[in-house]
């Protein structure tokens, strides 16, 4: 072992700890730590950070030689702030970032590095090997630590980009790396009851959804971790965690491989032995319904179902890269969920390329007709690094976007206020902003009346009479009853006003401390806000119920299915 002091490395996967939300343990940086320790154990000293206040304290008291930070849509501005803090403490500190929240064209990478001069290196795609190679080069170089030519690491030398991308398609199908669980790196986080355990059994996604970072072409090859290691990790988390009720598997397509059945059996074993996890979040494979069904059977009723439709329009699905996904396979697993009485939800996106107001409404109707218990419509956020976010796609589909805060993602560190923002689609050449905004009422009524179950008995009965609850909700949203019209008009106004035209406008607004504190203390998702408002006015709930009954009665009479006794019983 060398007598020279070890290189001090801090790795952070930061979250805002001012609002308690779903914190996940830092699996990403733990993979890097375990990899570096395995190769450079005698030359490095590594610490991991999740909470910003702890990293802030450590930077001031014992600054590192290298600071590495994750870069996602939910922590991008927070990580950039800590780059500033680090360089103020020690301008010679080497700063590194990595994560999917960046455009990966060479001109885009160059522009990003030029915009953020406090950043020395950005690692594109997977980080373990490039980061370790960078550390090794720094150990060898000792001086002139900038612009080292490391594959996968991008840096800027004046105006010249130094970057050699890694070809992941040529990599071995097996990921042979030390486990961050079995090497103990995640022990402190497993003992934190606020941290949700994450596990990863494979990487890569063969489906090219244009709005999703999983769908980028460079990461399309599916590569697996050794099965024995995965099973040991599941056992380890079961034995050493703080009994967290929720676990999350990070695979893009759990069930894509036959071995995933064995992994599900191991999860079931831990459930039976320990009584947890109660909820296992999985993103099921798209074209392996038979295997998905077997996984659902193994995990039992504790595993709620998710079949993400996004849209039911074939042309839209083709346009967004979901053409490879066989719709019949999705319906097959949906039928299984229903036969087993397992609640099943779906996600619907508004603002997709090719999606019109008419086709989006049709998708909502069909989601009801297909029998989903929960229907979750979402705005599309444009994420750097995805195909849909590119300038080409923006121009091709005439995408217009606006900005708003991300709930819970704001705080003050080192005396500076910081917050995150989302850029979402507000119109395309297929759907105007007025049309898109008008769906806020229908989406909220689905959330309130169907997902929250307030009017589900009546709407469920309507569906049993072969009438789409979506039709009832659509007509309810058009009600001219004064109390409801006032509610809906205010909702539309609030929905339109929560958006800023530009990022600069939003940054300027919240640079005012009063406005920032209003965001911290009062900003709330409109779905929650309007549920709270409605329950404060019982007459509004009664008016909504009365309109649903009148609309349903009129439709059923037209269809010849009206039975007064049943309707009276439901009322």
């Amino acid at each position: 072992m060398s007598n020279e002091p070890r290189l001090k490395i801090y790795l952070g996967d930061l979250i805002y700890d001012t609002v308690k939300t779903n914190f996940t343990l830092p699996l990403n940086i733990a993979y890097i730590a375990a990899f570096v320790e395995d190769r450079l154990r005698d030359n490095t000293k590594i610490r991991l950070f999740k909470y910003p206040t702890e990293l802030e304290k450590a930077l001031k008291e014992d600054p590192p030689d290298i600071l590495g930070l994750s870069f996602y849509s939910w922590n991008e501005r927070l990580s950039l702030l800590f780059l500033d803090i680090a360089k103020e403490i020690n301008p010679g500190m080497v700063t590194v970032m990595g994560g999917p929240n960046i455009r990966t064209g060479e001109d885009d990478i160059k522009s990003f590095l030029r915009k953020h001069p406090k950043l020395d290196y950005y690692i594109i795609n997977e980080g373990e090997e490039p980061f370790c190679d960078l550390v090794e080069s720094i150990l060898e170089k000792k001086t002139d630590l900038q612009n080292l030519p490391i594959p996968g690491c991008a840096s800027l030398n004046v105006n010249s980009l130094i970057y050699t991308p890694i070809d992941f398609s040529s990599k071995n199908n097996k990921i042979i790396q030390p486990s961050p669980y079995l090497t103990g790196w995640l022990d402190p986080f497993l003992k934190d009851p606020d941290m949700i355990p994450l596990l990863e059994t494979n990487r890569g996604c063969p489906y090219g959804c244009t709005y999703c970072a999983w769908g980028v072409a460079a990461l399309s090859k599916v590569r697996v971790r050794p099965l024995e290691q995965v099973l040991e990790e599941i056992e380890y988390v079961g034995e050493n965690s703080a009994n967290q009720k929720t676990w999350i598997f990070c695979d893009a397509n759990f069930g894509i491989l036959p071995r995933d059945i064995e992994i599900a059996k191991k999860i079931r074993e831990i459930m039976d032995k320990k009584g947890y996890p109660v909820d296992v979040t999985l993103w099921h494979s798209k074209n392996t319904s038979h295997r998905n069904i077997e996984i659902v059977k193994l995990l039992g009723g504790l595993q709620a179902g998710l079949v993400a439709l996004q849209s039911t329009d074939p042309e839209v699905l083709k346009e967004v890269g979901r053409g490879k996904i066989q719709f019949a396979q999705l319906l097959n697993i949906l039928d299984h969920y229903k036969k087993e009485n397992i609640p099943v939800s779906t996600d619907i996106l508004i603002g997709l390329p090719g999606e019109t107001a008419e086709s989006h409404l049709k998708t909502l109707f069909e989601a009801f007709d297909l029998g989903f218990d929960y229907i979750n419509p979402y705005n599309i956020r444009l994420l750097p690094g995805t195909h849909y976010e590119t300038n080409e796609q923006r121009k091709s589909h005439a995408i217009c976007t606006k900005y708003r805060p991300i709930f819970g993602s704001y705080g003050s560190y080192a005396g500076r206020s910081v917050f995150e923002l989302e850029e979402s689609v507000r119109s395309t050449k297929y759907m105007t902003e007025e049309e898109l905004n008008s769906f806020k009422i229908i989406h909220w009524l689905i959330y309130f009346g169907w997902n929250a179950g307030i009017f589900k008995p009546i709407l469920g009965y309507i569906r049993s009479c072969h009438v789409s609850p979506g039709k009832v909700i659509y007509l309810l949203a058009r009600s001219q009853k004064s109390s409801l019209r006032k509610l809906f008009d205010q909702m539309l106004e609030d929905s339109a006003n929560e958006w800023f035209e530009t990022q600069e406008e939003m940054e300027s607004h919240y640079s005012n401390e009063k406005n920032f504190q209003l965001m911290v203390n009062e900003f709330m998702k409109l779905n929650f806000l309007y549920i709270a408002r409605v329950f404060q006015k019982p007459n509004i709930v009664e008016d909504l119920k009365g309109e649903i009954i009148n609309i349903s009665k009129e439709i059923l009479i037209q269809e010849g299915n009206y039975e007064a006794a049943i309707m009276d019983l439901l009322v």
Side-chain angles (χ1 to χ4, degrees), residues 369-381:
D369 297 340
L370 289 168
F372 285 101
D373 299 284
Y374 304 97
I375 299 169
N376 303 306
Y378 295 110
N379 292 88
I380 294 180
R381 289 168 63 175

Side-chain angles (χ1 to χ4, degrees), residues 268 271 278-280 295-305 337 340-343:
R268 178 76 262 171
M271 286 176 161
V278 174
D279 173 59
V280 179
I295 290 167
V296 170
K297 287 179 179 178
L298 282 166
L299 298 182
L302 299 174
Q303 171 59 31
Y337 282 130
E340 297 294 325
N341 293 317
I342 297 173

Side-chain angles (χ1 to χ4, degrees), residues 73 76 101-103 108 115 210-211 319 351-354 380-403 421-431 499-504:
S73 61
E76 101 174 55
N101 199 46
I102 184 175
R103 291 182 172 185
D108 296 313
K115 184 179 179 181
T210 62
Y211 49 81
E319 186 69 44
L352 292 169
I380 294 180
R381 289 168 63 175
L382 288 191
L383 302 174
T386 64
H387 184 57
Y388 199 37
E389 190 271 342
T390 62
N391 291 338
E392 177 189 21
Q393 286 283 294
R394 290 171 187 257
K395 183 178 180 181
S396 175
H397 302 294
I399 300 170
C400 291
T401 63
K402 290 186 178 180
Y403 302 81
L421 53 83
E422 66 171 86
E423 180 188 12
S424 289
V425 175
R426 296 301 292 163
S427 70
T428 65
K429 69 180 181 182
Y430 319 99
M431 188 184 300
W499 298 94
F500 292 83
E501 294 287 339
T502 65
Q503 179 172 331
E504 291 73 22

Side-chain angles (χ1 to χ4, degrees), residues 220-249:
S220 61
K221 181 177 179 178
V222 177
R223 296 157 51 235
V224 302
R225 298 192 179 280
L227 178 60
E228 299 76 15
Q229 185 184 80
V230 171
L231 299 180
E232 286 183 45
E233 287 184 336
I234 292 171
E235 180 75 28
Y236 189 91
V237 174
E239 293 294 335
N240 295 280
S241 67
N243 305 350
Q244 288 92 330
K245 300 300 182 184
T246 298
W247 291 9
I248 298 174
F249 280 74

Side-chain angles (χ1 to χ4, degrees), residues 8-25:
K8 195 183 308 173
I9 302 169
Y10 289 175
L11 299 176
D13 178 40
L14 302 179
I15 43 137
Y16 288 86
D17 50 5
T18 47
V19 177
K20 183 176 283 191
T21 55
N22 293 325
F23 299 157
T24 56
L25 55 71

Side-chain angles (χ1 to χ4, degrees), residues 330-377:
L330 299 182
L331 298 184
N332 190 18
I333 191 169
L334 173 60
D335 287 341
H336 171 76
Y337 282 130
K338 291 193 287 185
K339 287 175 185 175
E340 297 294 325
N341 293 317
I342 297 173
V344 58
S345 65
T346 191
D347 296 339
I348 306 293
L349 297 179
I350 189 168
L352 292 169
E355 190 84 274
T356 64
E358 292 76 17
S359 64
H360 181 70
L361 185 64
K362 184 171 179 285
T363 291
L364 294 174
F365 281 21
E366 290 179 344
F368 280 108
D369 297 340
L370 289 168
F372 285 101
D373 299 284
Y374 304 97
I375 299 169
N376 303 306

